[in-house]
Amino acid sequence: MTKKSVKEKKGAEKKGRSAPKKRMLERIPDLYIYVGLVLVFLFSLYLRIYRPISHVFVGDAVLFDGNDPWYHMMLAKSTVLNFQRPWFDPLTFFPQGTGIHFGPFNSWGIAVLSYIVGLGSPSMHTVEVVGAVFPGILGALLVFPVYFIGREIGGRTAGFLGAVMIAVLPGQLLSRSVIGFTDHHIAEVLLSTTAMLFFLLAVRSGTGKLTFASLRGGDLAALKRPLLCSLFAGIFLGLYLDAWASGHLFVGIVLAFATVQSVVDHLKGRNVEYLGIAGTIAFLMALLLILPFIRVQNGFSSVFYSLFQPTMLILGVIFLLFLSFISNQLVGRKMDRRYFPAVVFGSIALSFVILMLAVPSFTETLMSGLRIFQPRAGGAATISEASTILERYGVQRNFPGLISLLSPFWLTLLALPLMLQRYLRDEDRRADMLIVVWTLVVLALTFAQNRFAYYYAINVALLSGYLGSILLEKTRFLEAEDALVRMARGSSKDSPDHNLLLTNLAAVAILSLLFIYPAMFGTVQGVAIGSFHSERHVGPIGSDWYDSVAWLEGNTPHPGMDIYTIYERPSEGESFSYPDSAYGIMSWWDYGHWIETIGHRIPNANPFQQGIGSIEAGKPGSSPFFLAQNESEAEAVLAGLDENRSPYSNTRYVITDVEMAMGKFHAIAAWSNIHPGEYQFSHWQDGQPITLYTGSYFKTMVARLHFFDGTKAEVQEAWTVALRSDGQGGVSVEPQKRSRSYQELLDSANESIERGYAAALIVSQSPVMTSVPLEALGHYRLVHESASSVTSNGQKYVKIFEHVPGATITGAASPGTEVVISVPITTNRGRNFEYRQSTVADSNGVFSLVVPYSTEGPAAWSTNFDTGPLGPYTLRVGSVQYDVRVPEGAVIAGSSISI
């Protein structure tokens, strides 16, 4: 039993409760509490690892969740192989490469554990297994720091309830701490929470003891506890920063608390030096742990390890010591205590102005964090984790309650005024102020972006435990515990108070219904989102994408670079020197890490949100490419990626999926700041919303490639719809004509305009039935597609196209003669379609067609494609027909074949 728990029992007896005898209330021994805590830890492991394990370990493969975990695992493997962590990666964001901003904690943590598990010689599979379970273990370990913090603010009851809560809370916290989600987020939470625990212990144990005079006196035995706690706070704060370069968040929380607490202490005539000493030790220790990773060339970036992090810590040390110095000076001069807050906040303002003038790059970075509270527009608005928690049922998904108003997110806010009230009554409750400051800061961030719910889960768990302890104090839980313990030991012959036991049993049941049950079995719109169904929080890569990007490694030319090789970052102002064999792969940015880590190839865009580009900004990238309205426009985008390289090297392969063509299409448009309504919009028909696709949609490269295989397509069935204002600020959509003839549809559109409609469009109700004629693409050939069909005509989930110069078929004919070339194609999945292209002979009687498919099969030095023609091309010139064979070399070299 700790000394603090004894104090709590005495205090509890003084609060108006009449005990039958004046004696110490007996408690369940701490050993049993710790056994219970271990059981909660094991249950947390069960939720995070055992239940979803079959989704991650599939046969011999380890399928990681999401995008970034694959990248973290690549870094971990590279660390194991090279005994160092790479800091520059040229195998993404081609042809630029990128500095790596991910912290080294995950990489080294997984590497060290892999060497332990592998007995000094881990295989890559061992590294994958260790990496997969790593986040689950870190997430389960949270129960321990949460328990001890909760015990500090509300006794063992608060600590234990908080530990149970953190074990079962769903949402962002659970999804980022399950098996396979090997990202840095759960490491951030565990390390920052543990740092706060030790800082809290340092503050409590150092109050009244930890002063500069006591340090000079050398009484280290008396100061051992606060000094050690300060040291450990610094170690975990440093590791936290090693997990996330932008971890100055908790440096700011500590400084905010120290400022408030020093003002309160000074105004009440108490020594404030313990805050300065504890904080200084912690910050200096953290500084030592991040210095090996600082890169001066990164300037004052908060995203990368730069001068920003050590500057922040050093300024923090100076500020903490300044608080102690000013307080001592004012006390020594016997000046009015109220001068202290004025001097402190005035000095903060003056120092900020000086820093703005002296080091503007530092203050700009510091203030840039406030942008998180600005409304997001364009492509950034499509990032779901960056939306406020008040949208998309965010509160209920992360902190479910029996009903939304009873969500722990809202209930625990009641704890803040109660905690502040207790803080004002009891001068020894410094932990309360730390919890309040910590909670308010993270709550503000969570309102701004729901991703911070994985941080705020700690605060919700702690405050839930605190509210539970208040309720159980009212129901005299300690007396009920005393009665049960005495009865179990046989030390009491009196029968227990059954009303007391039933009251406390009911209180525990109420707490379970309010906090535990919804977290485990809660639903949102009928869908189970509780943690007991943790397997639903795991979303590993699907087989269509996994098989497709894995196909790249064995069937496309090697780029002459390896993802596990350590490459040096080029000097400032210089570009990375790629070998001639290197090339890029274009897809949407979500998939860049899979292309690199599974396919061992180089993506043009990646989940670091690099390479996206923008039509509005005139910046080449994936958004302008996939929205391009014709092949020439698309080619110009690819050429613009690097004007010193061939566009066929800038991007050699293009990968599309059905999500890009449909579900994610709005995001592709948003990143170019184009309203998706230009491509598709909803029309209500017979009480049902019908999506209508415009001609602009079908002309996009993503639609041409994914739904039409890059071949010529005619209108099959479409509508002319006329638009007019509905008089209420909206637009009414009125169908006019349905036809298979594009000319008839055009005539109908013109007639609608003549009748006074504001506009008329030719649309289709299906994304696989174009509303406008589409020309064939001459530089893109389908080389592979995945297994799953997504349309009634057999279109597949994922497709890989090769970007080639193409063979030019030339010949002579009478001017104006129609020339058509076609060839049947069979895909690797047995799907058949016809590649067809047409033109007319010009005024000189010359025609030219660029075709992308080789009829002679793959060459050893080229793509080992398993999709291609069944025979030669059929070339029809007027009424004359020819068979045309095209070798692979002609397609890749862009050679001409004369007929």
Side-chain angles (χ1 to χ4, degrees), residues 94-306:
F94 188 81
Q96 307 294 326
T98 186
I100 299 172
H101 68 275
F102 283 158
F105 178 83
N106 264 26
S107 304
W108 279 109
I110 294 170
V112 170
L113 289 176
S114 297
Y115 270 98
I116 294 173
V117 173
L119 302 178
S121 182
S123 66
M124 289 297 99
H125 183 69
T126 298
V127 179
E128 289 177 346
V129 172
V130 170
V133 301
F134 190 65
I137 294 172
L138 297 185
L141 285 172
L142 274 171
V143 302
F144 298 107
V146 167
Y147 169 76
F148 287 107
I149 295 175
R151 193 176 71 174
E152 288 294 312
I153 63 175
R156 296 192 312 181
T157 304
F160 197 80
L161 178 56
V164 174
M165 275 292 287
I166 207 61
V168 301
L169 273 175
Q172 295 276 8
L173 177 73
L174 180 66
S175 64
R176 295 168 192 268
S177 61
V178 290
I179 184 173
F181 197 86
T182 313
D183 212 330
H184 53 84
H185 302 125
I186 191 58
E188 296 171 35
V189 180
L190 176 64
L191 296 169
S192 62
T193 303
T194 308
M196 295 298 277
L197 165 64
F198 280 109
F199 186 73
L200 186 154
L201 294 175
V203 167
R204 179 173 67 81
S205 60
T207 303
K209 299 178 184 177
L210 192 57
T211 64
F212 292 112
S214 64
L215 289 176
R216 289 192 297 269
D219 188 8
L220 295 181
L223 301 178
K224 178 181 177 181
R225 183 177 175 83
L227 290 176
L228 280 177
C229 288
S230 300
L231 185 67
F232 280 111
I235 290 174
F236 282 99
L237 181 60
L239 292 176
Y240 168 64
L241 290 167
D242 287 340
W244 187 37
S246 298
H248 58 279
L249 165 65
F250 275 83
V251 176
I253 290 173
V254 169
L255 291 175
F257 161 72
T259 302
V260 173
Q261 188 59 49
S262 65
V263 169
V264 172
D265 283 340
H266 184 86
L267 292 177
K268 292 188 176 183
R270 299 194 293 255
N271 192 303
V272 304
E273 292 178 354
Y274 69 99
L275 291 167
I277 296 172
T280 295
I281 294 173
F283 284 2
L284 289 178
M285 190 66 226
L287 180 63
L288 291 176
L289 288 175
I290 67 166
L291 279 179
F293 311 114
I294 300 303
R295 301 293 184 270
V296 176
Q297 61 266 37
N298 290 330
F300 283 96
S301 169
S302 64
V303 176
F304 293 94
Y305 290 91
S306 67

Side-chain angles (χ1 to χ4, degrees), residues 98 141 182 499 710 737 765 790 897:
T98 186
L141 285 172
T182 313
N499 288 333
K737 187 176 185 62
Q765 294 184 13
V790 294
I897 299 175

Side-chain angles (χ1 to χ4, degrees), residues 11 14 101 202 256 333 337 379 603 797 866 891:
K14 292 178 182 178
H101 68 275
R333 297 171 185 267
R337 295 174 183 170
Y797 196 98
D866 44 12
V891 170

Side-chain angles (χ1 to χ4, degrees), residues 306-381:
S306 67
L307 295 173
F308 180 81
Q309 292 85 7
T311 301
M312 188 77 178
L313 290 168
I314 292 169
L315 289 176
V317 169
I318 294 172
F319 178 70
L320 290 170
L321 295 177
F322 171 77
L323 292 176
S324 300
F325 174 77
I326 291 298
S327 177
N328 289 341
Q329 288 294 310
L330 294 179
V331 170
R333 297 171 185 267
K334 298 183 179 179
M335 298 178 69
D336 193 317
R337 295 174 183 170
R338 289 173 294 183
Y339 285 135
F340 183 73
V343 172
V344 169
F345 292 110
S347 299
I348 292 174
L350 179 61
S351 299
F352 188 78
V353 171
I354 294 173
L355 284 171
M356 284 183 63
L357 297 174
V359 197
S361 53
F362 172 77
T363 53
E364 286 172 7
T365 300
L366 187 63
M367 297 304 293
S368 66
L370 297 178
R371 293 174 191 160
I372 192 176
F373 299 104
Q374 296 177 351
R376 292 179 173 263

Side-chain angles (χ1 to χ4, degrees), residues 615-616 626-629 633 661 665-670 672-682 691-700 703 721 723 731 733 759-764 771-772:
I615 293 176
E616 181 186 53
F626 287 116
L627 294 177
Q629 292 287 288
E633 187 180 321
F665 184 86
H666 74 285
I668 297 177
S672 282
N673 205 24
I674 299 176
H675 193 279
E678 292 194 18
Y679 304 99
Q680 52 186 253
F681 57 91
S682 293
T691 299
L692 300 179
Y693 299 87
T694 71
S696 295
Y697 169 79
F698 293 107
K699 290 178 182 178
T700 62
V721 295
L723 311 179
V731 175
V733 179
L761 299 172
I762 300 175
V763 300
S764 172
S771 65
V772 294

Side-chain angles (χ1 to χ4, degrees), residues 57 80 86 136 148 162 170 179 288 381 449 518 528 532 556 570 657 711 713 716 784 791 851:
F57 294 151
V80 169
F148 287 107
I179 184 173
L288 291 176
Q449 292 188 5
F532 191 75
T556 60
D657 76 343
T711 190
Q716 292 178 286
H784 185 83
T791 66
V851 295

